[in-house]
Amino acid sequence: MKKWFQLLRQAIRGSEESFTEGSINRAIFLLSVPMILEMVMESLFAVVDIFFVSKVSTEAVATVGLTESVITLVYSLAIGLSTAATATIARRTGEGNLDKARHAVGQVIFISLAISSVTAVLGFWLASDILRAMGADAKVIETGTDFARIQFLSSPVVVLLYSLSGALRGAGAAATAMRSLMIANGFNMLLGPMLIFGVGPFPELGVTGAALATATGRSIGVGYQLFSLAKGSRALGLHWTDLRPDFETIAAIVKVATGGTVQFLIGSASWIFLTRILSEFGSDVVAGYTIAIRVIMFTLLPAWGLANAAATLVGQNLGAEKPDRAEASVWKCARFNLIFLLGLSVFMFIGAGDIISLFSGQQDVVETGKLALRVLCLGYGFYAYGMVVIQSLNGAGDTKTPMVLNLIGFWGVQIPVAYVLAVILGLGPVGVFAAVPIAESVLAIMGIWRFRLGGWKVIKV
């Protein structure tokens, strides 16, 4: 027990940065613990926001759901850059070339700011039009335009929070990324109820207050990341000269990031279409679905911590020219993920009604959310392996294969199945819910097949 406690403390403190030697189980533990905690902190943004916003009104919840379904396009950009940062910096760390790893971080910052600034301006300008296009009624548009504007305006800090976390994970400094999310989420939890309900000297801003709290928390988290990088660590001690544009390095990062961005963009865009289909069934359905998705995010993102650990191990071990160790790490991460998610799915299925009731007292919303939660968690067994092998391919720098697989899974399976079941066959919202685990299961099977072929072992980054 003492040995495990010491190992846990070491994982949280982040005392190791390279994982190309020694026990694979130990490496997985040291990487996955801070990554799981990081993912829990990120998912808490969504859960905390929806918990407080659900006390305001159904329109407020629908506003969050419709806006977030579009803002996931920004998350796709952020995740794509995070994927490229992890793959590039893990490979340089495995090679022992820390100067190039540090330089790559500077270029990641430059790219993140350059691209996200455009998204921020366009989203702020077109916020109400975006809500209208998503099927929002007049009351939701009136309630949520300011919320949407703030969410889009905070795009640079969203992208930086993700991309810098990816860079830190690639270098093995996962504990720093974890702490940045803990700080960001702590401020969000503190400011959220104050700004939403007008506690103390703060004005009562309703759903707009949720957006301000989230943007503020994330900005502080990014500030901590930049401070940590400027202060320096064994792996990454960022210098001002690293921020000067180096177009050769930028091109290499963008090449990897493009596949990562497009693959998540494909998935995110498919979720927009699912939300658009559900909006035809009323705000109560959208609200229930939004709550269920937030709960799913909370439970799956810790599993993504294990998947991200696998990606780092693949990148570092390929850099150290140890592909067999990289592959063994992936299958072990997948098995651990399967055990975790199968147990969780049983709990979620049985307690679905009670879980959704924590976020809403309206019976129609609760019934929709309960049904969505039960259907969505049926695919957890496939999710476990699918997310690990897909992230491992990304960690190797092979972002093209997951991009193609996502295109098939989400647009070749999920959207058509959702439309056929919900609209043509008349199953309504349950048809949309069922399309998700069906598509994710197909995606997982294809991912395992491609990973076993082994082409990722010869990818150059």
Side-chain angles (χ1 to χ4, degrees):
M1 181 62 70
K2 183 178 179 181
K3 180 181 178 181
W4 279 106
F5 179 77
Q6 290 175 341
L7 196 61
L8 178 62
R9 184 172 61 179
Q10 184 178 351
I12 295 174
R13 290 177 60 186
S15 58
E16 291 197 21
E17 294 165 344
S18 180
F19 300 92
T20 58
E21 301 285 349
S23 167
I24 292 177
N25 286 345
R26 183 171 181 272
I28 292 173
F29 186 85
L30 289 174
L31 272 174
S32 63
V33 166
M35 289 184 181
I36 287 172
L37 292 175
E38 177 192 347
M39 294 297 102
V40 169
M41 289 300 104
E42 178 58 39
S43 65
L44 275 176
F45 273 114
V47 174
V48 168
D49 284 352
I50 206 66
F51 177 81
F52 289 119
V53 167
S54 65
K55 311 302 179 186
V56 178
S57 67
T58 299
E59 288 76 21
V61 176
T63 294
V64 174
L66 294 174
T67 303
E68 287 293 319
S69 66
V70 178
I71 209 74
T72 49
L73 300 177
V74 176
Y75 294 147
S76 297
L77 169 64
I79 293 171
L81 282 170
S82 177
T83 299
T86 298
T88 303
I89 294 163
R91 190 69 68 96
R92 300 292 88 83
T93 301
E95 294 168 351
N97 196 336
L98 300 186
D99 287 339
K100 285 191 175 181
R102 186 193 70 235
H103 182 63
V105 175
Q107 302 311 298
V108 166
I109 294 173
F110 177 82
I111 298 168
S112 298
L113 290 175
I115 298 177
S116 62
S117 296
V118 176
T119 305
V121 173
L122 290 176
F124 181 83
W125 185 264
L126 300 172
S128 59
D129 295 323
I130 290 170
L131 287 176
R132 189 175 295 108
M134 287 299 298
D137 57 33
K139 192 170 183 179
V140 170
I141 293 172
E142 180 184 358
T143 301
T145 296
D146 286 340
F147 174 90
R149 283 176 174 164
I150 294 170
Q151 289 288 69
F152 279 109
L153 200 59
S154 66
S155 295
V157 293
V158 172
V159 175
L160 278 173
L161 194 64
Y162 273 87
S163 62
L164 290 179
S165 291
L168 291 164
R169 288 194 299 267
T176 302
M178 172 198 71
R179 285 191 288 270
S180 71
L181 267 296
M182 291 180 71
I183 292 169
N185 200 70
F187 276 96
N188 181 50
M189 293 176 69
L190 178 66
L191 293 174
M194 292 181 176
L195 291 172
I196 293 171
F197 303 115
V199 178
F202 295 94
E204 183 178 349
L205 299 177
V207 69
T208 302
L212 282 173
T214 300
T216 302
R218 283 178 168 149
S219 298
I220 294 171
V222 169
Y224 173 78
Q225 290 177 328
L226 294 173
F227 172 78
S228 299
L229 290 169
K231 182 180 178 182
S233 68
R234 284 185 293 163
L236 303 174
L238 195 63
H239 300 158
W240 284 110
T241 55
D242 296 315
L243 298 174
R244 286 203 300 259
D246 174 358
F247 293 105
E248 183 178 351
T249 303
I250 288 173
I253 292 173
V254 169
K255 181 180 179 181
V256 178
T258 298
T261 298
V262 172
Q263 67 180 269
F264 287 103
L265 187 62
I266 289 168
S268 299
S270 72
W271 286 100
I272 293 176
F273 274 79
L274 292 186
T275 306
R276 184 65 182 87
I277 294 172
L278 286 172
S279 69
E280 297 296 325
F281 299 98
S283 293
D284 287 345
V285 170
V286 174
Y289 169 73
T290 299
I291 293 171
I293 285 295
R294 292 303 180 92
V295 173
I296 290 291
M297 288 170 60
F298 181 77
T299 58
L300 281 186
L301 283 179
W304 276 107
L306 267 170
N308 286 333
T312 297
L313 287 169
V314 166
Q316 288 196 3
N317 283 288
L318 287 181
E321 299 183 355
K322 297 180 178 180
D324 291 341
R325 178 180 171 88
E327 184 172 6
S329 300
V330 171
W331 295 127
K332 285 194 174 186
C333 285
R335 285 195 293 271
F336 293 148
N337 219 17
L338 179 65
I339 294 170
F340 167 67
L341 285 182
L342 284 181
L344 186 61
S345 65
V346 174
F347 171 78
M348 296 273 287
F349 192 89
I350 295 174
D354 293 331
I355 293 170
I356 300 298
S357 296
L358 294 174
F359 298 90
S360 177
Q362 298 187 35
Q363 190 60 35
D364 290 343
V365 173
V366 171
E367 288 301 317
T368 299
K370 179 174 71 174
L371 178 61
L373 199 57
R374 283 181 169 170
V375 173
L376 292 172
C377 76
L378 292 177
Y380 271 19
F382 285 99
Y383 300 163
Y385 267 77
M387 64 177 60
V388 169
V389 295
I390 292 294
Q391 278 300 87
S392 298
L393 292 170
N394 285 324
D398 179 15
T399 55
K400 181 179 178 181
T401 297
M403 178 183 70
V404 174
L405 295 182
N406 278 3
L407 183 62
I408 296 171
F410 292 123
W411 288 91
V413 178
Q414 184 167 275
I415 295 299
V417 169
Y419 185 80
V420 169
L421 293 179
V423 179
I424 296 179
L425 297 183
L427 296 181
V430 70
V432 177
F433 306 153
V436 176
I438 291 172
E440 292 285 357
S441 300
V442 171
L443 182 60
I445 292 170
M446 292 189 299
I448 292 170
W449 167 66
R450 287 293 300 178
F451 185 82
R452 285 189 176 277
L453 292 180
W456 55 272
K457 295 180 181 180
V458 296
I459 295 292
K460 301 296 181 184
V461 176

